[in-house]
Amino acid sequence: MSKKSIEAQLAQASTLIMNASKHPKVKLQMSSFGYTAERMQQGYEFVNTFLLLQDEKDNCYSRNSGLRQQLDQDVKALKSLYKDHLTIARFAFRTDAYMQAQLHLKGKRKTDWAGWTAQVQHFYNRIEAEGMAAMKKHGAKAEELVQGKAMADALRATHQDKQSITADAQSATQRRDEVLKAMNRWVSDFKKVAQVALQDDPQLLEALGILVPSVR
């Protein structure tokens, strides 16, 4: 891809296409070399498609950033709640080997995302199924246990949404870059033809953003 910034490449293409389309002499000369209105429309379509894909990419990354912030907040809140419930569970089931195994009360907590969220979800699912009464007896509030399960479920759903949006952003970026390459090829071909078609009128070439070497 060109070393020019994406903004510079887009500006170059837009300037060339707009000025070529509105100048009668350029239109006439370039048309005789095959750049008819239909072929010029192809250049417009490259620019417009690029802009649409750029917006799609930016929107995806913006939504992704919002979900990242939400995830950070939700993880912090769930970790605090889970820590309290884990402490209660370890005491409530201190003599119950079966529930200790069911709730994974012994050993270190998982630290990777998939492992930790699965562990937390499993904990609340098992509490809901078999441990609610004992947890309440030792000070846990039923509504907070239900909330913990809902938060764990929502957290994984949000993470899945974030992954989906990340994939969409990457796809939009890839498609945008493909359009950018095609647009640059179109511009490059146009400029080569214009340098021949408009060689007797360097001012018109400069109006298209095509530099003309000064004669010394």
Side-chain angles (χ1 to χ4, degrees):
M1 187 176 292
S2 172
K3 292 182 179 180
K4 290 183 180 179
S5 71
I6 287 176
E7 292 79 10
Q9 294 173 63
L10 178 64
Q12 179 189 52
S14 298
T15 297
L16 183 146
I17 294 167
M18 286 190 295
N19 288 351
S21 297
K22 71 182 182 181
H23 197 291
K25 186 174 181 179
V26 173
K27 288 172 65 176
L28 180 63
Q29 290 292 97
M30 292 302 294
S31 179
S32 66
F33 278 79
Y35 279 86
T36 60
E38 290 76 13
R39 195 168 179 185
M40 293 303 297
Q41 182 61 31
Q42 184 183 39
Y44 275 114
E45 289 174 358
F46 281 134
V47 171
N48 290 335
T49 302
F50 174 89
L51 290 172
L52 288 173
L53 290 171
Q54 180 79 342
D55 284 345
E56 181 181 340
K57 177 192 75 71
D58 291 344
N59 288 336
C60 285
Y61 279 113
S62 178
R63 291 166 58 200
N64 200 310
S65 177
L67 286 178
R68 175 71 268 172
Q69 294 177 6
Q70 181 183 333
L71 277 172
D72 289 343
Q73 294 172 359
D74 292 348
V75 166
K76 184 177 180 180
L78 182 56
K79 279 185 175 180
S80 177
L81 190 63
Y82 175 57
K83 181 180 179 181
D84 291 343
H85 288 158
L86 194 60
T87 299
I88 294 173
R90 282 170 171 162
F91 182 78
F93 303 110
R94 63 192 181 281
T95 61
D96 189 333
Y98 170 78
M99 286 302 292
Q100 288 179 13
Q102 286 293 303
L103 298 174
H104 302 162
L105 297 181
K106 294 183 178 181
K108 295 182 179 179
R109 301 300 90 191
K110 300 286 186 179
T111 56
D112 63 290
W113 172 263
W116 181 78
T117 52
Q119 192 172 51
V120 174
Q121 271 193 312
H122 178 80
F123 174 87
Y124 283 109
N125 285 338
R126 298 313 303 158
I127 288 293
E128 182 182 56
E130 299 183 75
M132 189 71 75
M135 291 291 287
K136 288 167 63 178
K137 181 180 177 180
H138 289 86
K141 296 179 180 179
E143 60 270 23
E144 290 184 351
L145 291 169
V146 172
Q147 180 187 16
K149 181 180 185 304
M151 289 171 66
D153 292 342
L155 197 64
R156 295 196 77 177
T158 300
H159 185 257
Q160 290 171 354
D161 288 343
K162 184 177 182 299
Q163 289 182 309
S164 177
I165 292 173
T166 298
D168 289 343
Q170 292 171 342
S171 174
T173 301
Q174 181 178 354
R175 286 180 285 130
R176 180 209 64 180
D177 290 346
E178 290 172 355
V179 171
L180 181 62
K181 289 178 182 179
M183 181 181 73
N184 284 338
R185 286 195 296 269
W186 190 97
V187 168
S188 178
D189 291 342
F190 183 96
K191 288 169 68 174
K192 290 175 183 177
V193 173
Q195 287 170 336
V196 174
L198 305 173
Q199 60 183 320
D200 294 332
D201 201 334
Q203 288 186 332
L204 288 180
L205 287 172
E206 291 181 356
L208 299 178
I210 302 173
L211 295 179
V212 180
S214 56
V215 180
R216 295 184 178 181

